[in-house]
Amino acid sequence: MIYNKEIIHSSHPQHRLKFEYKEVPFRCDGCKEAGIGCRYKCELCDFDLHKCCAVPSQSISHPFYPKCNFQFFTRPPGNGLRYCNACGKDVLGFVYHCRLCGFDLHPCCYNLPHMLDDGDVKLYLHKKVSSACHRCGRKGPSWSYRSACKKYHLHVSCVKEMLADNWQDLYYSNGKRSLELYTRIPSLKGTLQNHHRSKRGKVRKCCEMAGLAVQFIISAVLGDPTAMIAGVIGSLMSK
Ligand SMILES: [Zn+2]
Ligand SMILES: [Zn+2]
Ligand SMILES: [Zn+2]
Ligand SMILES: [Zn+2]
Ligand SMILES: [Zn+2]
């Protein structure tokens, strides 16, 4: 898909939004979820949109829910709290909603790649985990990524939790967005140690892979699978 350098968006009609790539996290003013990498931004207002939120489709389908027809809404339809069927998190803004069954998907969750591939490691998106998630130890209902070797499982919801745990710090530290912000993207250490413990046999190989897997999943969950946050997280893991 080709993205325009500048767009006008109905949720922020007063100014143009510029396409920008930065390895600094932001909160999307459309879906209210975290983002990194590519975004559409109003520099005057500090208004940001994920690219998938800035250029949504009006009506979509998803292979995990073959009978559903999802429509795009700028705010959650109906009364009461809605949650995303992919990641289990609340829906607070832009959403794809199926009127028939009431299912909801965050735009970024809808856009999660079904395969992440860096050449060595392949990760596949599944509707459920088939064995315990490396972060929470449970199977649970959230979508998850599984490595091709089937040894590594991570819930999309758990990745979001790791990010949420640190989001206040990330976003508000010193009142400004600095390099320090995103070097804390974090809590990955916990994940990796769990992985380490559970696979004591082939320590090195396994942990390298887990680290890589986590990097890919995080940038995908944040709405930009191509964001190069590898270095950031790599330096975290070596501590
Ligand atoms: Zn968004
Ligand atoms: Zn503006
Ligand atoms: Zn449906
Ligand atoms: Zn979601
Ligand atoms: Zn989990």
Side-chain angles (χ1 to χ4, degrees):
M1 201 188 273
I2 294 162
Y3 290 95
N4 294 324
K5 280 217 151 62
E6 279 191 0
I7 58 162
I8 295 177
H9 196 272
S10 57
S11 68
H12 193 77
Q14 62 271 45
H15 301 122
R16 286 170 182 277
L17 306 180
K18 277 192 185 144
F19 185 81
E20 172 181 292
Y21 176 90
K22 266 194 188 160
E23 289 157 26
V24 178
F26 62 95
R27 189 189 292 281
C28 173
D29 290 291
C31 66
K32 319 294 183 196
E33 295 287 301
I36 202 163
C38 299
R39 70 204 65 181
Y40 280 97
K41 180 176 195 65
C42 172
E43 278 161 5
L44 297 167
C45 308
D46 199 18
F47 178 95
D48 302 90
L49 292 177
H50 289 117
K51 60 182 182 182
C52 62
C53 288
V55 200
S57 311
Q58 283 318 309
S59 168
I60 55 156
S61 56
H62 195 281
F64 288 172
Y65 305 102
K67 288 178 183 159
C68 289
N69 182 358
F70 292 95
Q71 244 119 38
F72 181 75
F73 291 83
T74 52
R75 60 183 62 181
N79 306 315
L81 206 57
R82 309 202 64 87
Y83 72 93
C84 169
N85 286 79
C87 70
K89 300 281 169 220
D90 295 346
V91 170
L92 301 171
F94 291 7
V95 63
Y96 287 110
H97 173 75
C98 173
R99 284 183 201 272
L100 226 57
C101 29
F103 287 170
D104 296 284
L105 296 174
H106 289 124
C108 288
C109 290
Y110 165 70
N111 281 288
L112 285 171
H114 287 249
M115 190 186 71
L116 297 169
D117 183 1
D118 88 315
D120 289 327
V121 178
K122 283 188 176 61
L123 295 153
Y124 295 91
L125 186 65
H126 291 267
K127 199 173 163 187
K128 295 176 179 160
V129 285
S130 47
S131 67
C133 159
H134 271 100
R135 167 82 179 173
C136 68
R138 292 192 296 268
K139 290 197 181 180
S142 162
W143 292 4
S144 70
Y145 277 103
R146 186 174 81 182
S147 59
C149 70
K150 300 186 181 177
K151 283 187 183 136
Y152 190 79
H153 304 252
L154 193 60
H155 282 129
V156 172
S157 60
C158 284
V159 176
K160 287 212 165 181
E161 239 150 68
M162 298 192 294
L163 293 163
D165 285 349
N166 297 280
W167 184 254
Q168 294 294 326
D169 292 345
L170 283 171
Y171 198 72
Y172 292 112
S173 91
N174 312 323
K176 59 172 192 251
R177 301 173 184 203
S178 62
L179 213 110
E180 198 208 344
L181 290 181
Y182 70 98
T183 54
R184 287 203 246 154
I185 271 194
S187 293
L188 300 173
K189 272 171 112 176
T191 313
L192 295 169
Q193 279 155 9
N194 285 342
H195 187 71
H196 197 167
R197 270 200 299 278
S198 59
K199 301 269 185 275
R200 200 157 278 216
K202 310 174 202 164
V203 172
R204 231 198 129 71
K205 183 86 188 147
C206 241
C207 285
E208 276 168 11
M209 205 200 83
L212 205 59
V214 171
Q215 290 166 33
F216 276 107
I217 298 168
I218 285 181
S219 36
V221 164
L222 288 171
D224 184 0
T226 64
M228 296 307 294
I229 57 170
V232 173
I233 291 169
S235 68
L236 239 158
M237 287 177 346
S238 61
K239 279 178 196 157

